[in-house]
Every structure is written in structure tokens, then in C-alpha cells.
Amino acid sequence: MSAGLQVWNDALTFQIDGSTPMVTLARKGTAASQGTDFPTNGANAFCLVRIPISDGEILAVDCGLPFHMTGIRNGAAEFAILGATSTSMDYWVFAPHTDSGIRFGMKVFSETGALIYDTGRPPMRVAGTVEGVGTFGGFPTGRRLALVVWAQHTYIQRRVLVNPIPNTGFTSVSGNFARCAQDGTVYISPDTSYAIYQAALSGSTISFAGDWDNGLQNKYTVADVTGM
């Protein structure tokens, strides 16, 4: 780095580099649930939350209840939240730094004159990562934690019956659910069924059986969003 600024904290963790754009908070908010897309006959209660997201942005979420990211469609990340038919989800969107418009504070520029960072936007704080299923401790206590979902396991099972009514059956959706706690613990559940569309389950003959497994290993970044 021939120009700019380098900042390290007391744990010798690199924080700001005058040659690399910082990832900072672009926006935050709370999204209300929007109901469910299909019946939940026989499955756990859940609701859906959708949060707008653009390419190149990093979305961290927390709602106090277990959640599963169903995917991104029509410009929004969609989450199934377990154990509620109506709730809300807090979110923080991080992105490469853009000018916050501050009139006082500090600005850092690269050797080419590009704005790298200014104190009008808080930088993303990474507390760690978790993978797999189970209980993961050791994160800061008394802090507000949120999760960035990079990969999450999903399994869909479909059965079509011919007796007693042709072309009836069920589709079951399950996946791993995640939750943060203020005691510095992250919980990742085993596969849990959260949506079942069903009809004529008394049928005895299966004409079609199809299973889909995305084969993904759960992976999350744990972000410390305290004070943001």
C-alpha cells in the first residue's frame, strides 16, 4: 500500500486498509411476515419473510426464532420462520463502502483517489463462522448476533398416489433451521419438516415418487451487529 491508512485493533485484527474498499452497513430494517404460500397440514407452524437484496450485497438476519432460508427469488431473500404464523425479522445489509455523506468525521482514500471508507457507516464485524448441525458456543455474550446464510440444507419429498383418488398425494419440505442467542450460542437444528401439501393420504398405491436434496452443508457467518 503506497498511500492511505492501515488500522489494527488491540487483538491485532486488521480493520481498515487504504487500498481495499471496506464492507460497511448499507441499510437495515425489520421485515414483517407475509403468511405462507401453501397449506401446512401436519407440519410445524411457520411463516414467510421476504427481504429485498441485490447482487453483491451481504444479508445478515436475526429474529429470535429458528429460520430457514428457502432461496432468493424476484429480488428478495425468503425465509421460513419456525414456530410462528406471524412475526418479524430484523436485517442488516452490508456492501462495499459508498459515501455516507458525512460532514464531519474521517474519510480514507486509496492512492487513486477512490473513497475506501468513512466513519458515517459502521463496518461489518465478523464474530466467526459455523458449519454443520449442532450447538456452537464461544461467541461474544451480551451482544446482538446475526447470521449470514451461505449454504443451508433443504430436502423435498413428493409422492403421487393413484388410490383411492388418482393424481393426489403430498409434497413435504424440510430443512435445517438456525437461531442466535444472546448468550453467544448459535443453534443449527437437524432437518425439520415445515411445509406439507397433502391430499388423500389414505391412498395405498404410489404412481410417482420423487426426492430432491440440494446436498448442501450448512455454512453461516456470524456477524456482531450490536449498536447498528
Short mmCIF file of all heavy atoms in Angstrom, two decimals, residues 183-211:
data_model
loop_
_atom_site.label_atom_id
_atom_site.label_comp_id
_atom_site.label_asym_id
_atom_site.label_seq_id
_atom_site.Cartn_x
_atom_site.Cartn_y
_atom_site.Cartn_z
N ASP A 183 -26.60 -15.37 24.65
CA ASP A 183 -25.52 -15.92 25.48
C ASP A 183 -24.32 -16.34 24.63
O ASP A 183 -23.41 -17.03 25.12
CB ASP A 183 -26.03 -17.12 26.30
CG ASP A 183 -26.47 -18.29 25.43
OD1 ASP A 183 -26.44 -18.16 24.18
OD2 ASP A 183 -26.84 -19.34 25.99
N GLY A 184 -24.31 -15.93 23.35
CA GLY A 184 -23.18 -16.23 22.49
C GLY A 184 -23.23 -17.60 21.87
O GLY A 184 -22.20 -18.13 21.46
N THR A 185 -24.44 -18.18 21.77
CA THR A 185 -24.61 -19.51 21.21
C THR A 185 -25.40 -19.45 19.91
O THR A 185 -26.36 -18.69 19.80
CB THR A 185 -25.33 -20.44 22.20
OG1 THR A 185 -24.61 -20.45 23.44
CG2 THR A 185 -25.43 -21.86 21.67
N VAL A 186 -24.98 -20.25 18.94
CA VAL A 186 -25.72 -20.40 17.69
C VAL A 186 -26.22 -21.83 17.61
O VAL A 186 -25.45 -22.78 17.81
CB VAL A 186 -24.83 -20.07 16.47
CG1 VAL A 186 -25.58 -20.34 15.17
CG2 VAL A 186 -24.37 -18.62 16.53
N TYR A 187 -27.52 -21.99 17.32
CA TYR A 187 -28.13 -23.31 17.25
C TYR A 187 -28.51 -23.62 15.80
O TYR A 187 -29.20 -22.82 15.15
CB TYR A 187 -29.39 -23.36 18.12
CG TYR A 187 -29.15 -23.09 19.58
CD1 TYR A 187 -29.26 -21.80 20.10
CD2 TYR A 187 -28.81 -24.12 20.45
CE1 TYR A 187 -29.02 -21.54 21.45
CE2 TYR A 187 -28.58 -23.88 21.80
CZ TYR A 187 -28.69 -22.58 22.29
OH TYR A 187 -28.46 -22.33 23.62
N ILE A 188 -28.09 -24.78 15.31
CA ILE A 188 -28.46 -25.25 13.98
C ILE A 188 -29.16 -26.60 14.17
O ILE A 188 -28.55 -27.56 14.62
CB ILE A 188 -27.25 -25.42 13.04
CG1 ILE A 188 -26.34 -24.18 13.10
CG2 ILE A 188 -27.73 -25.70 11.63
CD1 ILE A 188 -26.99 -22.91 12.62
N SER A 189 -30.45 -26.67 13.81
CA SER A 189 -31.24 -27.86 14.06
C SER A 189 -31.03 -28.91 12.99
O SER A 189 -30.63 -28.60 11.86
CB SER A 189 -32.72 -27.49 14.11
OG SER A 189 -33.21 -27.27 12.79
N PRO A 190 -31.34 -30.18 13.31
CA PRO A 190 -31.41 -31.21 12.26
C PRO A 190 -32.57 -30.88 11.31
O PRO A 190 -33.34 -29.95 11.55
CB PRO A 190 -31.69 -32.50 13.05
CG PRO A 190 -31.31 -32.18 14.46
CD PRO A 190 -31.57 -30.72 14.65
N ASP A 191 -32.69 -31.66 10.23
CA ASP A 191 -33.77 -31.45 9.28
C ASP A 191 -35.13 -31.45 9.99
O ASP A 191 -35.41 -32.36 10.79
CB ASP A 191 -33.77 -32.53 8.20
CG ASP A 191 -32.79 -32.21 7.08
OD1 ASP A 191 -32.33 -31.07 7.01
OD2 ASP A 191 -32.51 -33.12 6.28
N THR A 192 -35.93 -30.43 9.71
CA THR A 192 -37.25 -30.27 10.31
C THR A 192 -38.26 -30.01 9.21
O THR A 192 -38.06 -29.13 8.38
CB THR A 192 -37.25 -29.10 11.31
OG1 THR A 192 -36.25 -29.32 12.30
CG2 THR A 192 -38.61 -28.96 11.98
N SER A 193 -39.37 -30.76 9.22
CA SER A 193 -40.42 -30.56 8.23
C SER A 193 -41.20 -29.31 8.57
O SER A 193 -41.66 -29.13 9.69
CB SER A 193 -41.34 -31.77 8.19
OG SER A 193 -42.39 -31.55 7.27
N TYR A 194 -41.34 -28.40 7.61
CA TYR A 194 -42.06 -27.17 7.89
C TYR A 194 -43.18 -26.87 6.90
O TYR A 194 -43.93 -25.91 7.10
CB TYR A 194 -41.10 -25.97 7.97
CG TYR A 194 -40.44 -25.59 6.66
CD1 TYR A 194 -41.02 -24.66 5.82
CD2 TYR A 194 -39.22 -26.14 6.29
CE1 TYR A 194 -40.41 -24.29 4.63
CE2 TYR A 194 -38.60 -25.77 5.11
CZ TYR A 194 -39.20 -24.85 4.28
OH TYR A 194 -38.59 -24.48 3.11
N ALA A 195 -43.33 -27.63 5.84
CA ALA A 195 -44.41 -27.38 4.90
C ALA A 195 -44.84 -28.69 4.27
O ALA A 195 -44.02 -29.42 3.72
CB ALA A 195 -43.98 -26.40 3.82
N ILE A 196 -46.14 -28.98 4.36
CA ILE A 196 -46.68 -30.18 3.74
C ILE A 196 -47.94 -29.81 2.97
O ILE A 196 -48.87 -29.23 3.53
CB ILE A 196 -47.00 -31.28 4.77
CG1 ILE A 196 -45.72 -31.73 5.49
CG2 ILE A 196 -47.67 -32.47 4.08
CD1 ILE A 196 -45.96 -32.78 6.55
N TYR A 197 -47.94 -30.11 1.70
CA TYR A 197 -49.16 -30.00 0.91
C TYR A 197 -49.65 -31.43 0.70
O TYR A 197 -48.93 -32.26 0.17
CB TYR A 197 -48.89 -29.34 -0.45
CG TYR A 197 -50.13 -29.28 -1.31
CD1 TYR A 197 -51.07 -28.28 -1.12
CD2 TYR A 197 -50.37 -30.24 -2.28
CE1 TYR A 197 -52.22 -28.23 -1.89
CE2 TYR A 197 -51.51 -30.20 -3.05
CZ TYR A 197 -52.43 -29.19 -2.86
OH TYR A 197 -53.57 -29.15 -3.61
N GLN A 198 -50.88 -31.71 1.13
CA GLN A 198 -51.31 -33.09 1.11
C GLN A 198 -52.77 -33.21 0.73
O GLN A 198 -53.56 -32.27 0.88
CB GLN A 198 -51.09 -33.75 2.48
CG GLN A 198 -51.94 -33.14 3.59
CD GLN A 198 -51.60 -33.75 4.94
OE1 GLN A 198 -50.46 -34.07 5.20
NE2 GLN A 198 -52.60 -33.92 5.78
N ALA A 199 -53.11 -34.39 0.22
CA ALA A 199 -54.49 -34.75 -0.10
C ALA A 199 -54.57 -36.26 -0.22
O ALA A 199 -53.64 -36.90 -0.71
CB ALA A 199 -54.95 -34.09 -1.41
N ALA A 200 -55.66 -36.82 0.24
CA ALA A 200 -55.93 -38.25 0.09
C ALA A 200 -54.76 -39.11 0.56
O ALA A 200 -54.28 -39.98 -0.15
CB ALA A 200 -56.27 -38.57 -1.36
N LEU A 201 -54.32 -38.86 1.80
CA LEU A 201 -53.17 -39.61 2.29
C LEU A 201 -53.50 -41.07 2.59
O LEU A 201 -52.61 -41.85 2.93
CB LEU A 201 -52.61 -38.94 3.55
CG LEU A 201 -51.96 -37.58 3.31
CD1 LEU A 201 -51.40 -37.03 4.61
CD2 LEU A 201 -50.86 -37.68 2.27
N SER A 202 -54.78 -41.44 2.44
CA SER A 202 -55.14 -42.84 2.65
C SER A 202 -54.84 -43.70 1.43
O SER A 202 -55.01 -44.91 1.47
CB SER A 202 -56.63 -42.95 2.99
OG SER A 202 -57.41 -42.42 1.92
N GLY A 203 -54.39 -43.08 0.36
CA GLY A 203 -54.06 -43.84 -0.85
C GLY A 203 -52.99 -44.87 -0.58
O GLY A 203 -52.10 -44.67 0.23
N SER A 204 -53.07 -45.99 -1.27
CA SER A 204 -52.17 -47.09 -0.98
C SER A 204 -51.18 -47.38 -2.11
O SER A 204 -50.22 -48.11 -1.91
CB SER A 204 -52.98 -48.36 -0.70
OG SER A 204 -53.81 -48.68 -1.82
N THR A 205 -51.42 -46.85 -3.30
CA THR A 205 -50.56 -47.15 -4.43
C THR A 205 -49.86 -45.89 -4.90
O THR A 205 -50.51 -44.89 -5.19
CB THR A 205 -51.36 -47.75 -5.60
OG1 THR A 205 -52.08 -48.90 -5.14
CG2 THR A 205 -50.43 -48.14 -6.74
N ILE A 206 -48.54 -45.93 -4.98
CA ILE A 206 -47.76 -44.77 -5.39
C ILE A 206 -47.45 -44.88 -6.88
O ILE A 206 -46.88 -45.87 -7.34
CB ILE A 206 -46.45 -44.68 -4.60
CG1 ILE A 206 -46.76 -44.47 -3.10
CG2 ILE A 206 -45.58 -43.55 -5.13
CD1 ILE A 206 -45.53 -44.46 -2.23
N SER A 207 -47.86 -43.86 -7.65
CA SER A 207 -47.57 -43.85 -9.08
C SER A 207 -46.32 -43.05 -9.40
O SER A 207 -45.73 -43.20 -10.45
CB SER A 207 -48.76 -43.28 -9.86
OG SER A 207 -48.97 -41.91 -9.51
N PHE A 208 -45.92 -42.18 -8.46
CA PHE A 208 -44.72 -41.37 -8.68
C PHE A 208 -44.08 -41.08 -7.33
O PHE A 208 -44.77 -40.72 -6.37
CB PHE A 208 -45.05 -40.05 -9.38
CG PHE A 208 -43.88 -39.11 -9.46
CD1 PHE A 208 -42.90 -39.26 -10.43
CD2 PHE A 208 -43.72 -38.09 -8.52
CE1 PHE A 208 -41.81 -38.40 -10.49
CE2 PHE A 208 -42.64 -37.22 -8.57
CZ PHE A 208 -41.68 -37.39 -9.56
N ALA A 209 -42.79 -41.23 -7.25
CA ALA A 209 -42.04 -40.89 -6.04
C ALA A 209 -40.81 -40.09 -6.46
O ALA A 209 -40.01 -40.57 -7.26
CB ALA A 209 -41.64 -42.13 -5.27
N GLY A 210 -40.69 -38.87 -5.94
CA GLY A 210 -39.54 -38.05 -6.30
C GLY A 210 -38.98 -37.35 -5.08
O GLY A 210 -39.72 -36.73 -4.31
N ASP A 211 -37.67 -37.46 -4.87
CA ASP A 211 -36.99 -36.79 -3.78
C ASP A 211 -35.95 -35.84 -4.35
O ASP A 211 -35.28 -36.18 -5.34
CB ASP A 211 -36.29 -37.79 -2.86
CG ASP A 211 -37.27 -38.72 -2.17
OD1 ASP A 211 -38.47 -38.39 -2.12
OD2 ASP A 211 -36.84 -39.78 -1.68
#
